[in-house]
């Protein structure tokens, strides 16, 4: 049995659609911050695989809510990994490109050592380390710019404000690999068929772009006239530092021949908007 924890999030929901036989729990059904209850649940269920889709993702808020970020991004996954190991279950956890700092100019593969710059990134990097300490066979998958038709994400935010005629200022000096949650979920499903020894795997769209280029492509595909302007990170003035370049390289996925769902970012975005674009516009206009 597969246990998906955090089933209401973007990735958790996509995984539940692909794995209808899995036991999928939302944050309302399982308070992961109650570490003892979480451990007892995993011990009782004795799953073969535990997939952790919970996280604290408010990058800027983490600068002032550091304790909450550490709890959800470090302590919870560490306890979950230990509980999974105790019942001999595989454990899959998700991290972020933001664990890397500045100084990169080429796609970053799994061999590079993280140098997190923000409270959020430090909590995620600490989570990676604690997970691997508690469950050496765990898989930690680093993701970037995840979007879907659910919850809050960059695509929905851009469309929402563009439809309102709001002036949009988007940074053009930060490069990332925006990735559809479904493509990640499909890759996770494929990897579950492998007898992997554990470790870090990058799982992002191919190529990469700046946030501004990403926004421009959204409006181009949807044929929306947006009041869009490029700004620098310095002008944007976010509370948390972001790396200027954090395009990841899927070297491990390629070595496993498991990179088929990680298409170029613009092709992936076009496939997503072909399926959900009209519904998103209808939802956000209402």
């Amino acid at each position: 049995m597969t246990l998906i924890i955090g089933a209401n999030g973007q990735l958790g929901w996509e995984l539940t659609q692909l794995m209808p036989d899995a036991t999928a729990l939302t944050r309302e059904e399982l308070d992961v911050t109650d570490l003892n209850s979480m451990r007892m649940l995993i011990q009782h269920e004795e799953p073969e695989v535990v997939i952790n889709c919970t996280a604290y993702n408010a990058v800027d808020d983490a600068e002032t809510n550091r304790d909450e970020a550490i709890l959800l991004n470090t302590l919870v996954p560490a306890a979950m990994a230990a509980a999974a190991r105790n019942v001999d279950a595989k454990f899959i956890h998700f991290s972020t490109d933001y664990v890397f700092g500045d100084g990169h100019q080429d796609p970053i593969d799994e061999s590079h050592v993280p140098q997190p710059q923000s409270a959020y990134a430090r909590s995620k990097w600490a989570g990676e380390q604690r997970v691997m300490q508690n469950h050496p066979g765990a898989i930690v998958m680093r993701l970037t710019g995840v979007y879907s038709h659910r919850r809050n994400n960059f695509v929905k935010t851009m469309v929402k404000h563009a439809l309102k005629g709001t002036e949009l200022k988007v940074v053009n000096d930060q490069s990332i690999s925006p990735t559809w949650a479904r493509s990640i979920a499909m890759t996770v499903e494929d990897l579950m068929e492998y007898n992997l020894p554990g470790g870090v795997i990058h799982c992002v769209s191919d190529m990469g772009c700046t946030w501004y280029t990403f926004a421009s492509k959204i409006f181009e595909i949807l044929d929306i006239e947006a009041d869009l302007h490029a700004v620098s990170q310095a002008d944007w003035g976010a509370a948390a530092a972001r790396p200027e370049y954090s395009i990841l390289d899927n070297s491990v996925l390629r070595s496993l021949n498991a990179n088929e769902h990680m298409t170029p970012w613009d092709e992936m975005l076009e496939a997503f908007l072909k399926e959900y674009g009209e519904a998103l516009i209808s939802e956000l206009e209402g």
Side-chain angles (χ1 to χ4, degrees):
M1 181 267 284
T2 296
L3 176 62
I4 300 171
I5 300 177
N8 259 353
Q10 296 188 90
L11 182 53
W13 187 87
E14 293 286 0
L15 285 166
T16 62
Q17 306 310 298
L18 290 176
M19 306 176 191
D21 294 332
T23 297
L25 299 176
T26 67
R27 286 287 298 274
E28 290 71 30
E29 294 168 324
L30 174 64
D31 179 5
V32 293
T33 63
D34 184 344
L35 300 185
N36 190 52
S37 293
M38 180 196 44
R39 292 188 193 100
M40 291 176 62
L41 173 88
I42 293 174
Q43 182 177 349
H44 178 266
E45 295 292 334
E46 294 188 330
E48 295 176 352
V49 182
V50 178
I51 305 177
N52 176 32
C53 296
T54 66
Y56 184 96
N57 290 324
V59 177
D60 290 320
D61 290 347
E63 294 298 314
T64 52
N65 296 328
R66 298 189 180 196
D67 288 346
E68 187 175 358
I70 291 171
L71 174 61
L72 286 168
N73 292 341
T74 305
L75 302 181
V76 166
M80 206 180 294
R85 185 184 184 189
N86 286 340
V87 297
D88 199 26
K90 296 180 181 179
F91 184 62
I92 300 175
H93 174 64
F94 301 97
S95 189
T96 173
D97 61 311
Y98 283 0
V99 297
F100 293 105
D102 287 325
H104 299 282
Q105 296 180 332
D106 299 305
I108 308 164
D109 68 20
E110 293 85 351
S111 68
H112 287 81
V113 178
Q115 293 181 313
Q117 298 175 307
S118 66
Y120 165 76
R122 287 191 292 272
S123 72
K124 295 295 286 186
W125 172 226
E128 290 188 23
Q129 294 173 293
R130 292 284 296 275
V131 162
M132 297 308 300
Q133 288 169 2
N134 289 354
H135 193 326
I139 295 173
V140 174
M141 302 183 72
R142 293 190 184 126
L143 315 176
T144 307
V146 179
Y147 61 87
S148 73
H149 67 292
R150 294 172 55 82
R151 309 298 286 262
N152 292 324
N153 58 69
F154 185 80
V155 175
K156 292 186 72 173
T157 297
M158 289 295 102
V159 174
K160 176 182 178 181
H161 288 296
L163 292 174
K164 291 181 177 179
T166 306
E167 181 183 21
L168 292 168
K169 296 180 180 180
V170 179
V171 295
N172 199 30
D173 58 355
Q174 182 190 351
S175 298
I176 45 90
S177 308
T179 312
W180 186 6
R182 179 180 296 172
S183 298
I184 299 167
M186 293 168 69
T187 303
V188 171
E189 185 182 40
D190 289 348
L191 290 176
M192 287 172 61
E193 302 299 320
Y194 290 72
N195 186 25
L196 298 177
V200 176
I201 298 177
H202 292 173
C203 185
V204 301
S205 64
D206 198 16
M207 306 299 284
C209 60
T210 68
W211 287 107
Y212 175 80
T213 302
F214 185 26
S216 298
K217 193 65 177 180
I218 293 167
F219 301 136
E220 176 188 327
I221 294 171
L222 294 177
D223 195 24
I224 294 175
E225 289 191 17
D227 187 10
L228 178 66
H229 304 276
V231 297
S232 67
Q233 287 197 70
D235 289 339
W236 178 246
R242 274 91 160 162
E244 292 183 0
Y245 184 100
S246 58
I247 294 174
L248 301 184
D249 182 85
N250 298 327
S251 63
V252 172
L253 285 182
R254 286 199 306 276
S255 72
L256 296 169
N257 292 319
N259 202 38
E260 63 176 307
H261 305 300
M262 295 297 114
T263 54
W265 72 269
D266 51 346
E267 293 179 16
M268 186 180 291
L269 176 64
E270 191 161 2
F272 166 72
L273 292 176
K274 181 179 180 180
E275 182 168 347
Y276 288 111
E278 290 185 7
L280 278 180
I281 292 173
S282 179
E283 172 194 340
L284 297 172
E285 280 182 331

